[in-house]
mmCIF file with all atom_site columns, all heavy atoms in Angstrom:
data_model
loop_
_atom_site.group_PDB
_atom_site.id
_atom_site.type_symbol
_atom_site.label_atom_id
_atom_site.label_alt_id
_atom_site.label_comp_id
_atom_site.label_asym_id
_atom_site.label_entity_id
_atom_site.label_seq_id
_atom_site.pdbx_PDB_ins_code
_atom_site.Cartn_x
_atom_site.Cartn_y
_atom_site.Cartn_z
_atom_site.occupancy
_atom_site.B_iso_or_equiv
_atom_site.pdbx_formal_charge
_atom_site.auth_seq_id
_atom_site.auth_comp_id
_atom_site.auth_asym_id
_atom_site.auth_atom_id
_atom_site.pdbx_PDB_model_num
ATOM 1   N N   . ASN A 1 7   ? 23.702  9.404   -18.575 1.00 0.00 ? 7   ASN A N   1
ATOM 2   C CA  . ASN A 1 7   ? 24.392  8.092   -18.828 1.00 0.00 ? 7   ASN A CA  1
ATOM 3   C C   . ASN A 1 7   ? 23.340  7.105   -19.112 1.00 0.00 ? 7   ASN A C   1
ATOM 4   O O   . ASN A 1 7   ? 22.066  7.344   -18.906 1.00 0.00 ? 7   ASN A O   1
ATOM 5   C CB  . ASN A 1 7   ? 25.322  7.759   -17.676 1.00 0.00 ? 7   ASN A CB  1
ATOM 6   C CG  . ASN A 1 7   ? 24.481  7.610   -16.374 1.00 0.00 ? 7   ASN A CG  1
ATOM 7   O OD1 . ASN A 1 7   ? 23.562  6.758   -16.310 1.00 0.00 ? 7   ASN A OD1 1
ATOM 8   N ND2 . ASN A 1 7   ? 24.762  8.360   -15.399 1.00 0.00 ? 7   ASN A ND2 1
ATOM 9   N N   . ASP A 1 103 ? -18.141 -4.033  14.735  1.00 0.00 ? 103 ASP A N   1
ATOM 10  C CA  . ASP A 1 103 ? -17.700 -3.494  15.975  1.00 0.00 ? 103 ASP A CA  1
ATOM 11  C C   . ASP A 1 103 ? -17.101 -2.099  15.752  1.00 0.00 ? 103 ASP A C   1
ATOM 12  O O   . ASP A 1 103 ? -16.488 -1.788  14.729  1.00 0.00 ? 103 ASP A O   1
ATOM 13  C CB  . ASP A 1 103 ? -16.604 -4.334  16.606  1.00 0.00 ? 103 ASP A CB  1
ATOM 14  C CG  . ASP A 1 103 ? -17.049 -5.692  16.979  1.00 0.00 ? 103 ASP A CG  1
ATOM 15  O OD1 . ASP A 1 103 ? -18.262 -5.906  17.029  1.00 0.00 ? 103 ASP A OD1 1
ATOM 16  O OD2 . ASP A 1 103 ? -16.234 -6.603  17.304  1.00 0.00 ? 103 ASP A OD2 1
ATOM 17  N N   . HIS A 1 110 ? -12.439 8.015   18.819  1.00 0.00 ? 110 HIS A N   1
ATOM 18  C CA  . HIS A 1 110 ? -11.852 8.337   17.520  1.00 0.00 ? 110 HIS A CA  1
ATOM 19  C C   . HIS A 1 110 ? -10.927 9.538   17.434  1.00 0.00 ? 110 HIS A C   1
ATOM 20  O O   . HIS A 1 110 ? -9.888  9.538   16.869  1.00 0.00 ? 110 HIS A O   1
ATOM 21  C CB  . HIS A 1 110 ? -12.968 8.468   16.457  1.00 0.00 ? 110 HIS A CB  1
ATOM 22  C CG  . HIS A 1 110 ? -13.719 7.192   16.208  1.00 0.00 ? 110 HIS A CG  1
ATOM 23  N ND1 . HIS A 1 110 ? -14.634 6.697   17.175  1.00 0.00 ? 110 HIS A ND1 1
ATOM 24  C CD2 . HIS A 1 110 ? -13.689 6.279   15.205  1.00 0.00 ? 110 HIS A CD2 1
ATOM 25  C CE1 . HIS A 1 110 ? -15.092 5.541   16.709  1.00 0.00 ? 110 HIS A CE1 1
ATOM 26  N NE2 . HIS A 1 110 ? -14.536 5.272   15.521  1.00 0.00 ? 110 HIS A NE2 1
ATOM 27  N N   . VAL A 1 111 ? -11.389 10.604  18.120  1.00 0.00 ? 111 VAL A N   1
ATOM 28  C CA  . VAL A 1 111 ? -10.589 11.821  18.054  1.00 0.00 ? 111 VAL A CA  1
ATOM 29  C C   . VAL A 1 111 ? -9.221  11.658  18.827  1.00 0.00 ? 111 VAL A C   1
ATOM 30  O O   . VAL A 1 111 ? -8.168  11.979  18.311  1.00 0.00 ? 111 VAL A O   1
ATOM 31  C CB  . VAL A 1 111 ? -11.423 12.947  18.649  1.00 0.00 ? 111 VAL A CB  1
ATOM 32  C CG1 . VAL A 1 111 ? -10.420 14.243  18.803  1.00 0.00 ? 111 VAL A CG1 1
ATOM 33  C CG2 . VAL A 1 111 ? -12.461 13.390  17.692  1.00 0.00 ? 111 VAL A CG2 1
ATOM 34  N N   . GLY A 1 208 ? -4.805  12.509  3.775   1.00 0.00 ? 208 GLY A N   1
ATOM 35  C CA  . GLY A 1 208 ? -3.866  12.642  2.731   1.00 0.00 ? 208 GLY A CA  1
ATOM 36  C C   . GLY A 1 208 ? -4.468  13.493  1.608   1.00 0.00 ? 208 GLY A C   1
ATOM 37  O O   . GLY A 1 208 ? -3.761  14.299  1.010   1.00 0.00 ? 208 GLY A O   1
ATOM 38  N N   . ALA A 1 225 ? 8.971   23.238  1.905   1.00 0.00 ? 225 ALA A N   1
ATOM 39  C CA  . ALA A 1 225 ? 9.246   21.831  1.831   1.00 0.00 ? 225 ALA A CA  1
ATOM 40  C C   . ALA A 1 225 ? 9.185   21.164  3.182   1.00 0.00 ? 225 ALA A C   1
ATOM 41  O O   . ALA A 1 225 ? 8.592   20.085  3.347   1.00 0.00 ? 225 ALA A O   1
ATOM 42  C CB  . ALA A 1 225 ? 10.564  21.619  1.140   1.00 0.00 ? 225 ALA A CB  1
ATOM 43  N N   . LEU A 1 229 ? 6.759   18.247  4.319   1.00 0.00 ? 229 LEU A N   1
ATOM 44  C CA  . LEU A 1 229 ? 7.332   16.925  4.760   1.00 0.00 ? 229 LEU A CA  1
ATOM 45  C C   . LEU A 1 229 ? 6.876   16.581  6.154   1.00 0.00 ? 229 LEU A C   1
ATOM 46  O O   . LEU A 1 229 ? 6.625   15.380  6.487   1.00 0.00 ? 229 LEU A O   1
ATOM 47  C CB  . LEU A 1 229 ? 8.917   17.034  4.759   1.00 0.00 ? 229 LEU A CB  1
ATOM 48  C CG  . LEU A 1 229 ? 9.481   17.078  3.415   1.00 0.00 ? 229 LEU A CG  1
ATOM 49  C CD1 . LEU A 1 229 ? 10.923  17.553  3.402   1.00 0.00 ? 229 LEU A CD1 1
ATOM 50  C CD2 . LEU A 1 229 ? 9.412   15.683  2.713   1.00 0.00 ? 229 LEU A CD2 1
ATOM 51  N N   . SER A 1 265 ? 5.648   -7.992  12.885  1.00 0.00 ? 265 SER A N   1
ATOM 52  C CA  . SER A 1 265 ? 4.860   -7.366  11.739  1.00 0.00 ? 265 SER A CA  1
ATOM 53  C C   . SER A 1 265 ? 5.783   -6.719  10.832  1.00 0.00 ? 265 SER A C   1
ATOM 54  O O   . SER A 1 265 ? 6.859   -6.259  11.205  1.00 0.00 ? 265 SER A O   1
ATOM 55  C CB  . SER A 1 265 ? 3.750   -6.447  12.285  1.00 0.00 ? 265 SER A CB  1
ATOM 56  O OG  . SER A 1 265 ? 4.351   -5.376  12.975  1.00 0.00 ? 265 SER A OG  1
ATOM 57  N N   . THR A 1 274 ? 11.241  10.564  0.621   1.00 0.00 ? 274 THR A N   1
ATOM 58  C CA  . THR A 1 274 ? 12.325  10.514  1.654   1.00 0.00 ? 274 THR A CA  1
ATOM 59  C C   . THR A 1 274 ? 13.656  10.953  1.059   1.00 0.00 ? 274 THR A C   1
ATOM 60  O O   . THR A 1 274 ? 13.801  11.211  -0.143  1.00 0.00 ? 274 THR A O   1
ATOM 61  C CB  . THR A 1 274 ? 12.521  8.957   2.054   1.00 0.00 ? 274 THR A CB  1
ATOM 62  O OG1 . THR A 1 274 ? 12.763  8.212   0.850   1.00 0.00 ? 274 THR A OG1 1
ATOM 63  C CG2 . THR A 1 274 ? 11.307  8.468   2.776   1.00 0.00 ? 274 THR A CG2 1
ATOM 64  N N   . ARG A 1 287 ? 8.523   8.021   -4.027  1.00 0.00 ? 287 ARG A N   1
ATOM 65  C CA  . ARG A 1 287 ? 8.039   6.671   -4.311  1.00 0.00 ? 287 ARG A CA  1
ATOM 66  C C   . ARG A 1 287 ? 6.522   6.806   -4.660  1.00 0.00 ? 287 ARG A C   1
ATOM 67  O O   . ARG A 1 287 ? 5.757   7.227   -3.769  1.00 0.00 ? 287 ARG A O   1
ATOM 68  C CB  . ARG A 1 287 ? 8.242   5.699   -3.167  1.00 0.00 ? 287 ARG A CB  1
ATOM 69  C CG  . ARG A 1 287 ? 9.628   5.188   -3.108  1.00 0.00 ? 287 ARG A CG  1
ATOM 70  C CD  . ARG A 1 287 ? 9.720   3.894   -2.251  1.00 0.00 ? 287 ARG A CD  1
ATOM 71  N NE  . ARG A 1 287 ? 11.087  3.356   -2.228  1.00 0.00 ? 287 ARG A NE  1
ATOM 72  C CZ  . ARG A 1 287 ? 12.086  3.607   -1.364  1.00 0.00 ? 287 ARG A CZ  1
ATOM 73  N NH1 . ARG A 1 287 ? 11.839  4.647   -0.488  1.00 0.00 ? 287 ARG A NH1 1
ATOM 74  N NH2 . ARG A 1 287 ? 13.235  3.068   -1.480  1.00 0.00 ? 287 ARG A NH2 1
ATOM 75  N N   . LEU A 1 302 ? 2.249   -6.941  -3.411  1.00 0.00 ? 302 LEU A N   1
ATOM 76  C CA  . LEU A 1 302 ? 0.808   -7.407  -3.382  1.00 0.00 ? 302 LEU A CA  1
ATOM 77  C C   . LEU A 1 302 ? 0.446   -8.193  -4.582  1.00 0.00 ? 302 LEU A C   1
ATOM 78  O O   . LEU A 1 302 ? 0.787   -7.788  -5.667  1.00 0.00 ? 302 LEU A O   1
ATOM 79  C CB  . LEU A 1 302 ? -0.059  -6.191  -3.185  1.00 0.00 ? 302 LEU A CB  1
ATOM 80  C CG  . LEU A 1 302 ? -0.019  -5.390  -1.954  1.00 0.00 ? 302 LEU A CG  1
ATOM 81  C CD1 . LEU A 1 302 ? -0.824  -4.092  -2.048  1.00 0.00 ? 302 LEU A CD1 1
ATOM 82  C CD2 . LEU A 1 302 ? -0.577  -6.262  -0.771  1.00 0.00 ? 302 LEU A CD2 1
ATOM 83  N N   . MET A 1 312 ? 9.251   -10.543 0.349   1.00 0.00 ? 312 MET A N   1
ATOM 84  C CA  . MET A 1 312 ? 10.513  -10.738 -0.375  1.00 0.00 ? 312 MET A CA  1
ATOM 85  C C   . MET A 1 312 ? 11.674  -10.124 0.470   1.00 0.00 ? 312 MET A C   1
ATOM 86  O O   . MET A 1 312 ? 11.376  -9.426  1.502   1.00 0.00 ? 312 MET A O   1
ATOM 87  C CB  . MET A 1 312 ? 10.521  -10.015 -1.749  1.00 0.00 ? 312 MET A CB  1
ATOM 88  C CG  . MET A 1 312 ? 9.386   -10.513 -2.665  1.00 0.00 ? 312 MET A CG  1
ATOM 89  S SD  . MET A 1 312 ? 9.513   -9.885  -4.335  1.00 0.00 ? 312 MET A SD  1
ATOM 90  C CE  . MET A 1 312 ? 10.761  -10.996 -5.010  1.00 0.00 ? 312 MET A CE  1
ATOM 91  N N   . GLU A 1 313 ? 12.896  -10.422 0.177   1.00 0.00 ? 313 GLU A N   1
ATOM 92  C CA  . GLU A 1 313 ? 14.060  -9.749  0.829   1.00 0.00 ? 313 GLU A CA  1
ATOM 93  C C   . GLU A 1 313 ? 14.640  -8.807  -0.171  1.00 0.00 ? 313 GLU A C   1
ATOM 94  O O   . GLU A 1 313 ? 15.077  -9.240  -1.337  1.00 0.00 ? 313 GLU A O   1
ATOM 95  C CB  . GLU A 1 313 ? 15.054  -10.840 1.253   1.00 0.00 ? 313 GLU A CB  1
ATOM 96  C CG  . GLU A 1 313 ? 16.169  -10.172 1.974   1.00 0.00 ? 313 GLU A CG  1
ATOM 97  C CD  . GLU A 1 313 ? 17.367  -11.172 2.200   1.00 0.00 ? 313 GLU A CD  1
ATOM 98  O OE1 . GLU A 1 313 ? 17.644  -12.047 1.367   1.00 0.00 ? 313 GLU A OE1 1
ATOM 99  O OE2 . GLU A 1 313 ? 18.011  -11.020 3.211   1.00 0.00 ? 313 GLU A OE2 1
ATOM 100 N N   . SER A 1 335 ? -12.649 1.535   -15.781 1.00 0.00 ? 335 SER A N   1
ATOM 101 C CA  . SER A 1 335 ? -13.860 1.403   -16.575 1.00 0.00 ? 335 SER A CA  1
ATOM 102 C C   . SER A 1 335 ? -13.756 0.332   -17.686 1.00 0.00 ? 335 SER A C   1
ATOM 103 O O   . SER A 1 335 ? -14.700 -0.354  -17.972 1.00 0.00 ? 335 SER A O   1
ATOM 104 C CB  . SER A 1 335 ? -14.128 2.807   -17.310 1.00 0.00 ? 335 SER A CB  1
ATOM 105 O OG  . SER A 1 335 ? -13.028 3.202   -18.011 1.00 0.00 ? 335 SER A OG  1
ATOM 106 N N   . VAL A 1 394 ? 10.746  -14.774 -0.373  1.00 0.00 ? 394 VAL A N   1
ATOM 107 C CA  . VAL A 1 394 ? 10.819  -15.369 0.936   1.00 0.00 ? 394 VAL A CA  1
ATOM 108 C C   . VAL A 1 394 ? 9.601   -16.298 1.105   1.00 0.00 ? 394 VAL A C   1
ATOM 109 O O   . VAL A 1 394 ? 9.785   -17.450 1.407   1.00 0.00 ? 394 VAL A O   1
ATOM 110 C CB  . VAL A 1 394 ? 10.897  -14.316 2.020   1.00 0.00 ? 394 VAL A CB  1
ATOM 111 C CG1 . VAL A 1 394 ? 10.831  -14.963 3.403   1.00 0.00 ? 394 VAL A CG1 1
ATOM 112 C CG2 . VAL A 1 394 ? 12.191  -13.498 1.910   1.00 0.00 ? 394 VAL A CG2 1
ATOM 113 N N   . ALA A 1 396 ? 5.137   -16.906 -0.078  1.00 0.00 ? 396 ALA A N   1
ATOM 114 C CA  . ALA A 1 396 ? 3.930   -16.545 -0.711  1.00 0.00 ? 396 ALA A CA  1
ATOM 115 C C   . ALA A 1 396 ? 2.750   -16.548 0.257   1.00 0.00 ? 396 ALA A C   1
ATOM 116 O O   . ALA A 1 396 ? 2.651   -17.589 1.010   1.00 0.00 ? 396 ALA A O   1
ATOM 117 C CB  . ALA A 1 396 ? 3.732   -17.429 -1.927  1.00 0.00 ? 396 ALA A CB  1
ATOM 118 N N   . LEU A 1 397 ? 1.864   -15.638 0.143   1.00 0.00 ? 397 LEU A N   1
ATOM 119 C CA  . LEU A 1 397 ? 0.735   -15.529 1.024   1.00 0.00 ? 397 LEU A CA  1
ATOM 120 C C   . LEU A 1 397 ? -0.546  -15.653 0.186   1.00 0.00 ? 397 LEU A C   1
ATOM 121 O O   . LEU A 1 397 ? -0.822  -14.695 -0.651  1.00 0.00 ? 397 LEU A O   1
ATOM 122 C CB  . LEU A 1 397 ? 0.653   -14.232 1.811   1.00 0.00 ? 397 LEU A CB  1
ATOM 123 C CG  . LEU A 1 397 ? 2.009   -13.829 2.471   1.00 0.00 ? 397 LEU A CG  1
ATOM 124 C CD1 . LEU A 1 397 ? 1.851   -12.459 3.165   1.00 0.00 ? 397 LEU A CD1 1
ATOM 125 C CD2 . LEU A 1 397 ? 2.504   -14.902 3.499   1.00 0.00 ? 397 LEU A CD2 1
#
Side-chain angles (χ1 to χ4, degrees):
Chain A
N7 63 57
D103 296 347
H110 293 75
V111 169
L229 290 165
S265 63
T274 53
R287 283 196 172 88
L302 292 169
M312 304 189 81
E313 184 192 32
S335 55
V394 172
L397 314 176

